[in-house]
Amino acid sequence: MGELRLYAIGVDEVRDVFCASPELAEQFRRIVADEFPPQTTPKAPGMLGKLGPLFRKPAGAVRVRPDTPVESDVADLLAGRFIAPERQPVAWRLLECYLADTAWSGHRIALDMNRFNDLEFDLARAGLDPRFGLGKLVNRELGVPLQTYPGLSTGYTPHAVALDAASAWRNALPQLSPPNRAVAEPYAAWLAQFHHYAQAAPSRGRPVPDLIVVYRAQ
């Protein structure tokens, strides 16, 4: 079962992670440290006890699993350095952790290939412009130095296109089969929120959100 993980966040905000300012680096480290708690016994005292394997390896620490982030993963990602193929899954976990925390909102769509094809066919029959299909979400590269790996695809849709897609999906809903409408309706409602995020963005000193997608094949 594949899953589309969608985030409402400016693509430049994502790219900034890979040449992070000290302030952004601090924010990133705080977010991922909360997501990946310590795996030690006994727990270390004070603030260091909250940072876990990301930043230290104290006496009594359990052996760090290969899929567990370590400090070098964080440092390499924030500096935009080359990430070895075997560490790419971990690096994407770190980046998605940051996206989930900082995006205006997120949305997930779980579809196997048969359901995906049926939905795309139903949308085409309903007259949806092919530019707005789910398969087009990975057409534009994110433009980040972190490479993908087999089973992972990424991309983004500019804000203006996401707004047009919201209207197009909403208009197609009445013509979809009940199973496909159950998938399409929440997605159309999520896209509709981009208009409100754009109105709030200036007061928060943020760019309008684009649609960032991370697709995991299983």
Side-chain angles (χ1 to χ4, degrees):
M1 176 71 74
E3 185 177 58
L4 285 164
R5 300 179 180 181
L6 311 170
Y7 303 96
I9 184 172
V11 67
D12 286 337
E13 292 181 285
V14 181
R15 293 167 179 166
D16 286 346
V17 169
F18 297 88
C19 55
S21 65
E23 294 78 16
L24 178 56
E26 181 181 0
Q27 178 191 11
F28 186 95
R29 290 175 183 277
R30 183 173 63 251
I31 290 169
V32 299
D34 287 342
E35 179 66 18
F36 299 99
Q39 298 183 21
T40 62
T41 179
K43 181 178 178 181
M47 287 300 294
L48 287 178
K50 299 180 180 180
L51 300 181
L54 281 171
F55 301 100
R56 45 186 270 286
K57 191 173 182 180
V62 299
R63 186 171 184 175
V64 178
R65 293 170 43 183
D67 61 350
T68 299
V70 295
E71 164 57 18
S72 60
D73 296 317
V74 178
D76 288 344
L77 191 150
L78 292 174
R81 289 193 286 263
F82 171 76
I83 304 292
E86 65 272 16
R87 302 306 295 171
Q88 288 167 2
V90 169
W92 278 104
R93 288 179 66 197
L94 290 170
L95 184 59
E96 274 207 82
C97 175
Y98 175 78
L99 294 178
D101 188 87
T102 57
W104 294 87
S105 66
H107 184 68
R108 294 193 177 192
I109 303 175
L111 291 172
D112 61 27
M113 189 54 65
N114 289 334
R115 285 296 314 279
F116 172 82
N117 290 335
D118 185 67
L119 174 59
E120 291 281 90
F121 177 81
D122 211 8
L123 289 166
R125 184 181 58 81
L128 184 79
D129 189 316
R131 293 179 301 150
F132 305 136
L134 293 179
K136 299 296 185 182
L137 292 177
V138 295
N139 274 17
R140 293 181 180 85
E141 293 187 0
L142 280 178
V144 299
L146 179 59
Q147 300 297 305
T148 58
Y149 54 89
L152 182 80
S153 300
T154 65
Y156 84 99
T157 296
H159 178 78
V161 179
L163 291 181
D164 290 341
S167 176
W169 276 72
R170 184 172 60 250
N171 292 338
L173 290 176
Q175 302 176 62
L176 300 181
S177 68
N180 287 330
R181 181 164 182 163
V183 174
E185 199 160 26
Y187 178 55
W190 181 70
L191 288 174
Q193 297 303 307
F194 276 60
H195 172 72
H196 302 293
Y197 302 149
Q199 290 182 323
S203 65
R204 300 191 184 185
R206 298 184 64 176
V208 298
D210 302 300
L211 193 167
I212 307 300
V213 60
V214 177
Y215 173 69
R216 296 184 181 273
Q218 53 181 315

